[in-house]
Amino acid sequence: MSTDSRAIPDRHGGNLFLCDPSLASLLRLYLPQELYRHLEPRLIALGAEAGGRLDELALAADKHPPTLQARSRAGEDSQRIDKHPAYVELEKLAFSEYGLAAMGHRAGVLDWPERLPRLAKYAFTYLLVQAEFGLCCPLSMTDSLTSTLLEHGDAALAEQYLPALLTQDFARLSQGAMFITEQGAGSDVSRVETRAYRQDGGWRLEGEKWFCSNPDAGLAMVLAHVDGAPPGFKGLGLFLLPRRLPDGRLNHYRIVRLKDKLGSRSMASGEIRLEGALAHLVGEVGRGFQQMATMINLSRLSNGVRAAGLMRRALTEALHTARHRRAFGRALIEMPLMQRSLIKMLLPAEQARSMFLHLAACADRAQAGDAEAAQLSRILTPLIKFRACRDARQVTQDGMEVRGGCGYIEEWSDPRVVRDAMLGSIWEGTSNIVALDVARAARRNGALPVLQHYLARLLSESELPAASQAALEQALGRVSGFAAASFAADDDVDVRRAASALYHIASAVFMAWESARAADGDHRRLALAHLALRYRLQPRDPLAARDGDAQLELTRRLLDDAPISQGEALAALPL
């Protein structure tokens, strides 16, 4: 890290795990202690690499996007995607060294004798994405394709393809992909026109897929309309598409071109033309979209984790700049206006972190058969995809502004982080689509009262100060009533506001619950819960007087990672 007082503050080389003390505290809270002790050295190691070497590799990979080589020099139809060596090195670290795609499905990864919980995988992803965003898409798709195959595929199909999906031997690895989108079938998946038909005892696919990330993956899940089946959703089937046939030849589909994208430039996305490609039916015809939802929802959860990681990276860079950059005789962080800017970055970053940790824990319980956790996952997943991805766009832009002119220069991480943050609100459903999915979870699955009762139970078990308890309970009641009315309306015009409000109250309750369980007596997360009520759920007069001295002091302490007393936390309650 830079030590020259004349130089622009440069955090490069710092450990992204150690510079973020709240992360270790939260993981100790959510993970079994023995497991956390086992994983901590590996988290520290990844934090060091993400703060230095991986950041350099990510910058190189971003500057040298993959290229498509359609034919070999001998005229063979090779369809090869050439990836920059920096990206390949990142792949090897994530898939092979850390086993991030395999750790949730088999024992032995990172020397742990059992399958690791999703929460552990997302903790590593949270650190990795702070250096490299693009690779996290293939990681997520490989993991979620494996889950979909295990849940919906027959035993013989899983036995055939699982070894290549779960290996840490890079030479034998098959990465995963998801081919859904078509030019006429984006958000409205019922309009998929890709055909699936029987031939010679097997299934073949014909059609075009418009947006396929990781298009040369060894395996892809594909939605197609089955010949002779009813139109719309009832005619869709889910198919597993191998890149190569059993004899080693390429399957019968072409990568037509690669996309020139705004962000995630390190990772290839392309257009696919299926020309009678051989594929395997997964599950039942007519339930293709429902089965694909397993993969989509896991990808949405991963999107939320990535958004949280991007916000943390932007905040880490902004804090370092503000602490070490001087102007007018003071460090920037000493200036109240800068403190206000930074706290507006810190609050949504912490909300997203608590949301993904709690949701990941719910997903683990749901996988073990917990019906309540399954309902909670159904509504919390689109919530984090909707709100955290939108917050990431603003937080990363604000982080760029803190660095100033250098933040606009491609030598620094800020432009890459800003560009990558734009993606979360588009892939796996735009904001409108995902907000409607929150409403569907409430209407069709009855998930809203389940969430309301769960949040109320967390509050009752947390032994909070009476004022905190009352404020959070009152906000929960108001939000739940507004959400229920919004989701019951015919026009859906308020579903986005309702989804935002649910996200804010859920994250506030989670942070208060975390504070109550903290062993060190630090009420930092209770203060953040109060700030979420104050700034995210309470109406504010834009011409009201400024915050009082107690609020300004609380802001300073939060930015300094200083312990917060209960009295200081209570000062943040809405007036």
Side-chain angles (χ1 to χ4, degrees), residues 100-107 109 115-116 118 121 142-148 150 162 165-166 298 367:
L100 292 182
M103 65 169 54
H105 302 285
R106 66 168 176 81
V109 179
R115 178 182 61 81
L116 285 163
R118 292 194 181 279
K121 177 191 69 178
T142 305
D143 170 56
S144 57
L145 182 148
T146 302
S147 293
T148 305
L150 284 168
L162 279 178
L165 288 165
L166 300 182
L298 289 171
Q367 191 174 18

Short mmCIF file of all heavy atoms in Angstrom, two decimals, residues 100-107 109 115-116 118 121 142-148 150 162 165-166 298 367:
data_model
loop_
_atom_site.label_atom_id
_atom_site.label_comp_id
_atom_site.label_asym_id
_atom_site.label_seq_id
_atom_site.Cartn_x
_atom_site.Cartn_y
_atom_site.Cartn_z
N LEU A 100 -15.03 -23.82 -5.16
CA LEU A 100 -16.24 -23.06 -4.84
C LEU A 100 -17.50 -23.63 -5.49
O LEU A 100 -18.60 -23.47 -4.95
CB LEU A 100 -16.07 -21.60 -5.25
CG LEU A 100 -15.05 -20.80 -4.43
CD1 LEU A 100 -15.01 -19.35 -4.89
CD2 LEU A 100 -15.36 -20.87 -2.94
N ALA A 101 -17.38 -24.28 -6.63
CA ALA A 101 -18.56 -24.88 -7.26
C ALA A 101 -18.90 -26.24 -6.68
O ALA A 101 -20.03 -26.71 -6.83
CB ALA A 101 -18.35 -24.98 -8.77
N ALA A 102 -17.93 -26.88 -6.05
CA ALA A 102 -18.13 -28.25 -5.55
C ALA A 102 -18.45 -28.31 -4.07
O ALA A 102 -19.07 -29.26 -3.60
CB ALA A 102 -16.87 -29.08 -5.83
N MET A 103 -18.05 -27.29 -3.30
CA MET A 103 -18.08 -27.42 -1.84
C MET A 103 -19.47 -27.60 -1.26
O MET A 103 -19.63 -28.16 -0.18
CB MET A 103 -17.38 -26.23 -1.18
CG MET A 103 -18.03 -24.89 -1.38
SD MET A 103 -17.33 -23.58 -0.32
CE MET A 103 -15.59 -23.64 -0.65
N GLY A 104 -20.50 -27.15 -1.98
CA GLY A 104 -21.85 -27.32 -1.46
C GLY A 104 -22.48 -28.65 -1.80
O GLY A 104 -23.62 -28.92 -1.40
N HIS A 105 -21.73 -29.53 -2.51
CA HIS A 105 -22.32 -30.76 -3.01
C HIS A 105 -21.60 -32.03 -2.59
O HIS A 105 -22.16 -33.12 -2.73
CB HIS A 105 -22.39 -30.72 -4.54
CG HIS A 105 -23.17 -29.55 -5.06
ND1 HIS A 105 -24.55 -29.49 -5.01
CD2 HIS A 105 -22.76 -28.38 -5.63
CE1 HIS A 105 -24.95 -28.34 -5.53
NE2 HIS A 105 -23.89 -27.65 -5.91
N ARG A 106 -20.37 -31.91 -2.14
CA ARG A 106 -19.66 -33.13 -1.74
C ARG A 106 -18.70 -32.82 -0.60
O ARG A 106 -18.29 -31.67 -0.37
CB ARG A 106 -18.90 -33.73 -2.93
CG ARG A 106 -17.76 -32.89 -3.46
CD ARG A 106 -16.90 -33.71 -4.42
NE ARG A 106 -15.85 -32.93 -5.04
CZ ARG A 106 -14.68 -32.65 -4.47
NH1 ARG A 106 -14.42 -33.04 -3.24
NH2 ARG A 106 -13.76 -31.95 -5.13
N ALA A 107 -18.33 -33.86 0.12
CA ALA A 107 -17.40 -33.71 1.23
C ALA A 107 -15.97 -33.59 0.72
O ALA A 107 -15.66 -33.93 -0.42
CB ALA A 107 -17.52 -34.92 2.17
N VAL A 109 -13.94 -30.86 0.34
CA VAL A 109 -13.43 -29.60 -0.18
C VAL A 109 -12.87 -28.77 0.98
O VAL A 109 -13.48 -28.68 2.05
CB VAL A 109 -14.53 -28.82 -0.93
CG1 VAL A 109 -13.99 -27.48 -1.44
CG2 VAL A 109 -15.07 -29.65 -2.08
N ARG A 115 -20.05 -32.09 3.47
CA ARG A 115 -20.44 -31.05 2.51
C ARG A 115 -20.52 -29.71 3.24
O ARG A 115 -21.12 -29.62 4.30
CB ARG A 115 -21.80 -31.42 1.90
CG ARG A 115 -22.35 -30.40 0.93
CD ARG A 115 -23.73 -30.83 0.44
NE ARG A 115 -24.69 -30.94 1.52
CZ ARG A 115 -25.35 -29.91 2.05
NH1 ARG A 115 -25.14 -28.68 1.59
NH2 ARG A 115 -26.22 -30.11 3.03
N LEU A 116 -19.95 -28.67 2.67
CA LEU A 116 -19.96 -27.36 3.31
C LEU A 116 -21.30 -26.67 3.08
O LEU A 116 -21.92 -26.82 2.02
CB LEU A 116 -18.83 -26.49 2.76
CG LEU A 116 -17.43 -26.85 3.28
CD1 LEU A 116 -16.35 -26.23 2.40
CD2 LEU A 116 -17.26 -26.41 4.73
N ARG A 118 -24.09 -23.73 2.25
CA ARG A 118 -24.09 -22.63 1.28
C ARG A 118 -23.51 -21.36 1.89
O ARG A 118 -22.85 -20.57 1.19
CB ARG A 118 -25.53 -22.34 0.82
CG ARG A 118 -26.11 -23.44 -0.02
CD ARG A 118 -27.38 -22.98 -0.74
NE ARG A 118 -27.92 -24.09 -1.52
CZ ARG A 118 -27.47 -24.44 -2.71
NH1 ARG A 118 -26.48 -23.77 -3.24
NH2 ARG A 118 -28.01 -25.45 -3.36
N LYS A 121 -19.86 -21.19 1.29
CA LYS A 121 -19.55 -20.90 -0.11
C LYS A 121 -19.75 -19.41 -0.39
O LYS A 121 -18.93 -18.78 -1.06
CB LYS A 121 -20.44 -21.73 -1.03
CG LYS A 121 -20.25 -21.44 -2.50
CD LYS A 121 -21.32 -22.09 -3.34
CE LYS A 121 -22.67 -21.44 -3.10
NZ LYS A 121 -23.75 -22.01 -3.93
N THR A 142 -22.42 -23.18 -12.47
CA THR A 142 -21.98 -24.57 -12.29
C THR A 142 -22.59 -25.15 -11.03
O THR A 142 -23.10 -26.29 -11.02
CB THR A 142 -20.44 -24.62 -12.21
OG1 THR A 142 -19.88 -24.00 -13.38
CG2 THR A 142 -19.94 -26.06 -12.13
N ASP A 143 -22.58 -24.37 -9.97
CA ASP A 143 -23.16 -24.81 -8.70
C ASP A 143 -24.67 -25.02 -8.84
O ASP A 143 -25.22 -26.05 -8.41
CB ASP A 143 -22.87 -23.76 -7.63
CG ASP A 143 -23.63 -24.00 -6.34
OD1 ASP A 143 -23.51 -25.09 -5.78
OD2 ASP A 143 -24.36 -23.08 -5.91
N SER A 144 -25.38 -24.06 -9.45
CA SER A 144 -26.83 -24.16 -9.53
C SER A 144 -27.27 -25.21 -10.56
O SER A 144 -28.31 -25.85 -10.38
CB SER A 144 -27.44 -22.79 -9.86
OG SER A 144 -26.92 -22.26 -11.05
N LEU A 145 -26.49 -25.41 -11.63
CA LEU A 145 -26.80 -26.51 -12.55
C LEU A 145 -26.71 -27.85 -11.84
O LEU A 145 -27.55 -28.74 -12.03
CB LEU A 145 -25.86 -26.46 -13.76
CG LEU A 145 -26.09 -27.51 -14.86
CD1 LEU A 145 -25.73 -26.94 -16.23
CD2 LEU A 145 -25.27 -28.78 -14.63
N THR A 146 -25.68 -27.99 -11.00
CA THR A 146 -25.53 -29.23 -10.24
C THR A 146 -26.73 -29.45 -9.33
O THR A 146 -27.28 -30.57 -9.25
CB THR A 146 -24.23 -29.19 -9.42
OG1 THR A 146 -23.12 -28.98 -10.30
CG2 THR A 146 -24.02 -30.47 -8.65
N SER A 147 -27.17 -28.40 -8.64
CA SER A 147 -28.35 -28.52 -7.77
C SER A 147 -29.59 -28.91 -8.57
O SER A 147 -30.39 -29.75 -8.14
CB SER A 147 -28.60 -27.19 -7.05
OG SER A 147 -27.57 -26.90 -6.14
N THR A 148 -29.76 -28.31 -9.74
CA THR A 148 -30.93 -28.61 -10.58
C THR A 148 -30.90 -30.05 -11.07
O THR A 148 -31.92 -30.75 -11.08
CB THR A 148 -30.97 -27.63 -11.77
OG1 THR A 148 -30.94 -26.28 -11.27
CG2 THR A 148 -32.23 -27.83 -12.60
N LEU A 150 -29.38 -32.58 -9.62
CA LEU A 150 -29.61 -33.46 -8.48
C LEU A 150 -31.07 -33.48 -8.07
O LEU A 150 -31.61 -34.53 -7.69
CB LEU A 150 -28.74 -33.01 -7.30
CG LEU A 150 -27.26 -33.35 -7.37
CD1 LEU A 150 -26.48 -32.61 -6.30
CD2 LEU A 150 -27.05 -34.85 -7.23
N LEU A 162 -22.15 -35.81 -12.90
CA LEU A 162 -21.71 -35.18 -11.66
C LEU A 162 -20.20 -35.21 -11.45
O LEU A 162 -19.63 -34.21 -10.97
CB LEU A 162 -22.42 -35.81 -10.46
CG LEU A 162 -23.83 -35.33 -10.17
CD1 LEU A 162 -24.40 -36.09 -8.98
CD2 LEU A 162 -23.86 -33.83 -9.91
N LEU A 165 -18.63 -32.21 -12.96
CA LEU A 165 -19.08 -30.96 -12.37
C LEU A 165 -18.43 -30.70 -11.01
O LEU A 165 -18.22 -29.55 -10.62
CB LEU A 165 -20.60 -30.97 -12.21
CG LEU A 165 -21.44 -30.85 -13.48
CD1 LEU A 165 -22.88 -31.24 -13.21
CD2 LEU A 165 -21.37 -29.42 -14.04
N LEU A 166 -18.12 -31.77 -10.28
CA LEU A 166 -17.67 -31.63 -8.90
C LEU A 166 -16.17 -31.85 -8.72
O LEU A 166 -15.67 -31.74 -7.60
CB LEU A 166 -18.44 -32.62 -8.00
CG LEU A 166 -19.96 -32.44 -7.97
CD1 LEU A 166 -20.59 -33.44 -7.02
CD2 LEU A 166 -20.31 -31.01 -7.57
N LEU A 298 -31.21 -19.89 -7.29
CA LEU A 298 -29.86 -19.94 -6.75
C LEU A 298 -28.99 -18.87 -7.39
O LEU A 298 -28.14 -18.26 -6.72
CB LEU A 298 -29.26 -21.32 -6.95
CG LEU A 298 -29.85 -22.43 -6.07
CD1 LEU A 298 -29.33 -23.79 -6.50
CD2 LEU A 298 -29.52 -22.18 -4.60
N GLN A 367 -32.90 -26.75 2.53
CA GLN A 367 -32.36 -27.93 1.87
C GLN A 367 -32.44 -29.15 2.78
O GLN A 367 -32.57 -30.29 2.31
CB GLN A 367 -30.90 -27.67 1.46
CG GLN A 367 -30.32 -28.74 0.54
CD GLN A 367 -28.93 -28.36 0.05
OE1 GLN A 367 -28.26 -27.51 0.60
NE2 GLN A 367 -28.49 -29.03 -1.02
#
